Amino acid sequence: MIAYNFPANYDLILERVNKVNPIKYAQSRNFLDGSVTYLSPYISRGVISTKQVWEIAQSNGFTISQSEKFIQELAWREYFQRAWQILEDDIFDDIRHNYTGINHARMPLVVANAVTGINAIDDALKKLFRTGYIHNHLRMYTASIVCNIGKAHWQLPSQWMYYHLLDGDLASNTCSWQWVAGTFSSKKYYCNQENINRYTLTNQQNTFLNCSYEDLQKMDIPDPLKETINISFETKLPGSKIPELDSTLPLLIYNSYNLDPLWRKDIRANRILLLEPSHYNSHPVSEKVIDFILQLGKNIDGIQLFVGEVNEIPYINQFPAIYSKENPAFKHYPGTKDERDWLFPEVKGFYNSFYSFWKKCEKYLKKEKFHLQGLIRA
């Protein structure tokens, strides 16, 4: 049984980054027991960046040629983030195509309860509820079963998964569900039992997915998926004291997407981890997720927790400067918004497909490759 463990200590996180092997990752990442990095909770929470991960891999001797698939997967995250920058709240509606084949906008009961009868799926969902993590391939399987087999609209199920994820990222989660459902891709993604067996190392037969891909696309909703429920979510935020702030110093605002201990580390400043009730009313997360965020925040020297709206921070109009990191969820913060540490900072804007986005990224990757080769020859 695979155990998912996500330490919050920054040194342990860096140890995990240093153990990444892009070659093994490319060979086995789609398998449940593959060489997965388990870095997504830290990248999503802004503790580390895609750029930082790749730079550490390079320092450990991995070349661009050896790491292209690994870099491409990091670029997927940036692709979704760039889409969010441009579309903003429109990512929560169908992006490229209107969703077709919808029967309802609820959750299949067996998925919500992790009793689909497909062992690999049920085991993965139970671990999600327990640990806050699910393998990316299992996320795709779950979304395909819910949306394309169970004919549920993607919105509520995507919120349901986001609620549980330690690596919950509004752009990556929402756009990934839309990619599977076919509203942010050229076609819907389907999985059958044979595919699930292969990548989860199981050998189950006689499930409602035990058929060809052609038959899957024509079948009616299977009986196990017919019963549906509506789900509501609520975030239990912790209490917080009124922070002790020095209004003569700058204010640095951290949040659930920016928990970088190195960000502006060397300046004297007030440091606030801000949890806004309005944000979590719109995008609820579980108590496990909140606890993970609080634990990650402990890596930041001198940080104080404030639960409230940004305009309720004491002395908010008196600080000589206010800094945060750019993020579409927090555009309303006052002050200066620092750029995030992009792997491909030059590739901006909205692209209809990852392929077109990646083609732009490849140009800069080739330039870097030629530059490094030149340095080696010199």
Side-chain angles (χ1 to χ4, degrees):
M1 178 180 290
I2 297 173
Y4 299 127
N5 177 36
F6 293 99
N9 177 271
Y10 190 63
D11 290 336
L12 295 177
I13 294 168
L14 291 183
E15 283 183 21
R16 181 166 292 192
V17 178
N18 272 291
K19 290 178 181 177
V20 169
N21 185 319
I23 299 172
K24 291 183 178 179
Y25 174 86
Q27 294 169 343
S28 64
R29 65 188 173 84
N30 285 332
F31 290 87
L32 187 57
D33 67 342
S35 186
V36 181
T37 67
Y38 300 110
L39 295 179
S40 58
Y42 310 117
I43 297 174
S44 294
R45 299 297 163 201
V47 181
I48 55 177
S49 67
T50 51
K51 177 184 178 182
Q52 184 181 4
V53 170
W54 168 232
E55 286 177 343
I56 291 175
Q58 279 185 303
S59 70
N60 288 333
F62 293 102
T63 66
I64 291 175
S65 297
Q66 291 172 323
S67 309
E68 187 163 345
K69 175 52 69 175
F70 177 65
I71 298 169
Q72 191 176 71
E73 291 304 309
L74 293 175
W76 265 101
R77 181 174 292 273
E78 295 202 352
Y79 170 57
F80 290 146
Q81 295 298 322
R82 292 301 194 185
W84 192 16
Q85 277 186 325
I86 301 301
L87 298 177
E88 298 184 346
D89 284 351
D90 284 346
I91 67 165
F92 304 118
D93 294 319
D94 294 352
I95 294 175
R96 283 182 57 189
H97 309 288
N98 290 330
Y99 187 32
T100 59
I102 305 169
N103 187 271
H104 60 88
R106 293 155 62 90
M107 275 292 297
L109 181 63
V110 294
V111 176
N113 291 339
V115 289
T116 66
I118 300 172
N119 296 336
I121 301 295
D122 294 341
D123 289 345
L125 292 178
K126 289 171 185 175
K127 286 181 182 176
L128 169 64
F129 303 153
R130 189 171 66 252
T131 68
Y133 181 81
I134 181 171
H135 186 284
N136 187 61
H137 223 158
L138 274 297
R139 300 182 199 209
M140 293 168 60
Y141 291 153
T142 301
S144 183
I145 289 169
V146 170
C147 298
N148 302 334
I149 308 300
K151 295 180 172 46
H153 194 275
W154 59 265
Q155 285 178 329
L156 179 64
S158 73
Q159 293 166 6
W160 161 81
M161 183 167 281
Y162 176 81
Y163 178 82
H164 293 286
L165 290 170
L166 294 185
D167 63 12
D169 176 280
L170 286 169
S172 294
N173 183 67
T174 303
C175 292
S176 293
W177 275 81
Q178 292 212 51
W179 186 89
V180 170
T183 60
F184 194 24
S185 57
S186 58
K187 60 182 180 180
K188 297 178 180 180
Y189 170 81
Y190 285 90
C191 62
N192 64 9
Q193 190 63 52
E194 180 183 9
N195 185 279
I196 292 174
N197 285 344
R198 178 187 177 191
Y199 288 105
T200 63
L201 309 178
T202 54
N203 191 31
Q204 191 175 9
Q205 305 295 323
N206 302 319
T207 72
F208 60 82
L209 292 181
N210 197 28
C211 57
S212 69
Y213 285 106
E214 183 180 0
D215 289 341
L216 273 181
Q217 296 178 51
K218 296 185 295 185
M219 71 189 300
D220 293 329
I221 299 176
D223 287 341
L225 300 178
K226 286 182 177 178
E227 188 174 357
T228 63
I229 58 170
N230 201 7
I231 302 178
S232 60
F233 312 97
E234 182 182 358
T235 299
K236 295 181 180 179
L237 291 174
S240 69
K241 300 177 182 178
I242 297 175
E244 297 179 5
L245 302 173
D246 183 343
S247 62
T248 67
L249 295 177
L251 172 68
L252 271 61
I253 304 177
Y254 299 77
N255 53 55
S256 58
Y257 290 152
N258 174 27
L259 293 167
D260 179 3
L262 304 183
W263 175 56
R264 293 184 175 267
K265 180 181 179 181
D266 296 328
I267 71 168
R268 290 185 64 228
N270 302 283
R271 301 173 192 274
I272 290 289
L273 171 52
L274 179 63
L275 302 182
E276 291 185 291
S278 60
H279 174 77
Y280 293 101
N281 288 338
S282 298
H283 308 291
V285 297
S286 71
E287 197 168 349
K288 187 184 300 295
V289 172
I290 291 294
D291 183 64
F292 185 62
I293 292 166
L294 296 177
Q295 293 303 314
L296 291 173
K298 292 180 180 179
N299 293 301
I300 301 166
D301 290 339
I303 197 164
Q304 299 181 72
L305 175 66
F306 182 70
V307 178
E309 303 304 316
V310 67
N311 59 5
E312 296 173 340
I313 296 175
Y315 315 117
I316 190 64
N317 296 317
Q318 299 179 34
F319 298 105
I322 299 174
Y323 299 103
S324 60
K325 276 195 181 181
E326 178 275 328
N327 187 285
F330 307 113
K331 288 183 66 177
H332 60 286
Y333 287 3
T336 300
K337 295 175 177 62
D338 289 348
E339 187 77 1
R340 285 180 271 175
D341 294 323
W342 301 95
L343 183 58
F344 296 103
E346 309 90 346
V347 186
K348 303 176 182 179
F350 176 78
Y351 293 81
N352 268 331
S353 69
F354 177 74
Y355 176 80
S356 58
F357 176 81
W358 176 245
K359 283 300 176 185
K360 291 283 187 180
C361 296
E362 276 188 316
K363 292 181 180 179
Y364 294 98
L365 203 58
K366 287 176 181 177
K367 287 182 181 179
E368 182 183 352
K369 186 176 180 181
F370 291 144
H371 175 68
L372 291 173
Q373 288 173 342
L375 290 176
I376 291 170
R377 293 192 191 100

